[in-house]
Amino acid sequence: MPRRFTDAKDLLDDLLDRFEAGAASPIAHPDYAAFPSVIDADAFLKRIREAEAAGAVSLGWGRRGKRDQLAHVRLASPEALYQYLGRTPAPQIAQDAVARLVGGSALHDFLKTGAAQIAAVWGRGKTWHGFASSDVDTLRHAFDLAQAILDNKHLDVDYKTFSRRTVKHSKTLERVEGVVVRLLSGVLEFPPGARPREALRAIGLERFAPPLLIAGKVDLLGADLAGATPLYLGIAPKEADRVRFREPPAYVLTIENFASFNRHVAEADPSRLGATLYVGGYPSLATQQALRTISAMVCEQTPIFHWSDIDPDGTWIFHTIERAVGRPILPHLMSVEIAERSGQAPTKKSAPARCPPNSGIASLAAYLAEDGSKILEQEELDPILPTPRRRSD
């Protein structure tokens, strides 16, 4: 649909906007039906003719009985129109903004590339994920936070303290966490479907680590729990080295979902034959470290299992735990057969975890990457005891 205007400056600005967006020779039209009066139409034409006299635009006129009526305005010289309007070109604005964005910062090469991409978007007069070139100060904070994470300054620091130490304000990270994750997504591996807060938690940046829940025949160093029969214990992840097994567990099972964790402990293993741990969805870095500590307490012959949803996020959680414990683990109630039998088509397709062929979840990840694969939430399944023979189940 033709672009029509009653304000000459709006029309001229629109020509430059579209030129900056990539149009080689944009055209706009006067909207004769919308002019309030003949006086307004004459003022419009006068301004357009001034731009023509400056060499900025060329004019097209009507035919036959409308030969004296302006039909369209075409951009002739962007440079001349910038000068006529006193407007700074978007590429120059972008260049100046990006210079402020990265100036004085020792940035990772990937962040430098990201800044160049932002400059290219701003140079076309567009916004980058809702951020205009005028938002450079806010984005500078996001870059500083991203670089601090790459420098591992976020480890062992809570969310707000990290923000305050890095950009002098405790709430800034909350405002730009989505941008920070976007900037880092090409360098660090984040859960494919995680919200920004969950993604940052997975690399060790959280308000405070949630408790690690563990069920089994366990004691804590300095506390004899043999006479107590709690359903499970909750400890700070950093206290995982205090865990002691009263007898070797038959298995170790980590579970993503809280309801499935409770059902497994109460229904599948009321005798506490194994050690069952709740990882809290996407396992935080503190939780990953705790799992590494506890897995080292059991012998190599003790099988370690993980139970998640049968979906791309579930494969990411499985592979994350697999890497954290540093030894092979087995999927529990996570298989192609179960997906085909009980699953349903996903509402949207997302990529499963990138894992090596020898990963315990490799076959399921390959299946989920195929067209026609099905997914299943783990709550749909009743808990059962894991056994090594159930590797494919």
Side-chain angles (χ1 to χ4, degrees):
M1 181 178 294
R3 294 174 181 260
R4 301 186 180 278
F5 298 86
T6 58
D7 185 286
K9 186 177 184 304
D10 288 348
L11 181 150
L12 298 173
D13 276 326
D14 180 73
L15 293 177
L16 286 180
D17 289 345
R18 284 187 284 151
F19 169 75
E20 291 174 346
S25 185
I27 293 177
H29 305 260
D31 190 356
Y32 286 105
F35 280 115
S37 67
V38 174
I39 295 175
D40 292 301
D42 288 343
F44 174 92
L45 183 58
K46 179 181 178 182
R47 185 78 185 270
I48 296 299
R49 281 195 174 279
E50 289 176 353
E52 179 193 32
V57 297
S58 62
L59 309 184
W61 300 90
R63 298 179 179 179
R64 297 184 179 87
K66 295 184 178 181
R67 285 176 299 191
D68 294 332
Q69 188 176 81
L70 177 64
H72 67 260
V73 182
R74 183 188 298 272
L75 179 63
S77 169
E79 296 79 10
L81 187 52
Y82 280 123
Q83 184 174 0
Y84 173 73
L85 292 175
R87 170 171 161 172
T88 303
Q92 182 179 332
I93 294 175
Q95 184 177 2
D96 294 343
V98 170
R100 290 169 54 201
L101 183 64
V102 301
S105 296
L107 294 178
H108 186 283
D109 287 344
F110 191 85
L111 293 181
K112 292 179 181 177
T113 300
Q117 293 171 345
I118 293 172
V121 173
W122 285 346
R124 297 193 299 273
K126 304 295 184 179
T127 61
W128 180 80
H129 294 286
F131 288 87
S133 56
S134 57
D135 299 317
V136 63
D137 291 335
T138 301
L139 272 183
R140 173 62 183 256
H141 287 153
F143 271 79
D144 289 343
L145 289 162
Q147 183 59 53
I149 290 172
L150 292 176
D151 292 336
N152 290 326
K153 294 180 180 179
H154 66 295
L155 299 178
D156 299 318
V157 182
D158 69 88
Y159 204 86
K160 289 192 174 182
T161 299
F162 170 72
S163 181
R164 177 177 54 77
R165 289 179 180 176
T166 305
V167 294
K168 312 304 181 188
H169 198 289
S170 63
K171 294 185 177 181
T172 298
L173 179 56
E174 294 182 18
R175 302 188 185 107
V176 298
E177 59 189 9
V179 181
V180 172
V181 171
R182 188 173 290 114
L183 291 173
L184 293 173
S185 60
V187 182
L188 304 178
E189 184 178 6
F190 292 114
R195 294 185 292 272
R197 186 71 53 84
E198 294 170 327
L200 293 174
R201 178 170 168 252
I203 62 169
L205 186 56
E206 54 194 341
R207 292 179 181 274
F208 291 98
L212 178 69
L213 306 183
I214 178 170
K217 295 177 181 178
V218 297
D219 291 321
L220 292 179
L221 185 64
D224 182 5
L225 303 177
T229 57
L231 190 63
Y232 52 78
L233 300 175
I235 62 173
K238 289 184 178 181
E239 294 186 313
D241 59 352
R242 294 182 58 201
V243 171
R244 296 292 184 269
F245 292 104
R246 274 185 242 120
E247 59 184 64
Y251 65 86
V252 174
L253 171 64
T254 59
I255 298 180
E256 169 194 346
N257 179 271
F258 187 56
S260 296
F261 167 76
N262 277 277
R263 286 196 63 196
H264 179 87
V265 173
E267 300 174 26
D269 193 8
S271 299
R272 307 297 185 267
L273 300 175
T276 306
L277 299 98
Y278 171 59
V279 299
Y282 299 109
S284 68
L285 188 62
T287 297
Q288 295 173 44
Q289 293 167 341
L291 295 178
R292 184 182 304 116
T293 298
I294 292 174
S295 67
M297 297 178 183
V298 299
C299 67
E300 287 292 329
Q301 288 69 40
T302 302
I304 300 178
F305 298 85
H306 176 71
W307 183 17
S308 265
D309 294 337
I310 299 177
D311 63 11
D313 287 338
T315 63
W316 190 95
I317 293 171
F318 183 102
H319 188 47
T320 298
I321 294 173
E322 188 174 46
R323 287 181 299 175
V325 303
R327 57 184 280 190
I329 67 173
L330 299 163
H332 177 58
L333 295 175
M334 299 176 70
S335 70
V336 174
E337 292 77 13
I338 292 175
E340 284 293 304
R341 182 174 66 245
S342 305
Q344 58 185 358
T347 55
K348 63 178 181 178
K349 193 73 173 177
S350 58
R354 297 188 297 271
C355 52
N358 63 346
S359 167
I361 205 67
S363 61
L364 182 60
Y367 163 78
L368 291 170
E370 298 173 355
D371 292 334
S373 62
K374 297 178 181 179
I375 62 173
L376 180 69
E377 293 185 357
Q378 64 185 113
E379 300 100 309
E380 298 295 323
L381 300 173
D382 292 327
I384 60 174
L385 284 176
T387 67
R389 292 190 300 276
R390 292 184 181 274
R391 183 184 180 95
S392 64
D393 290 341

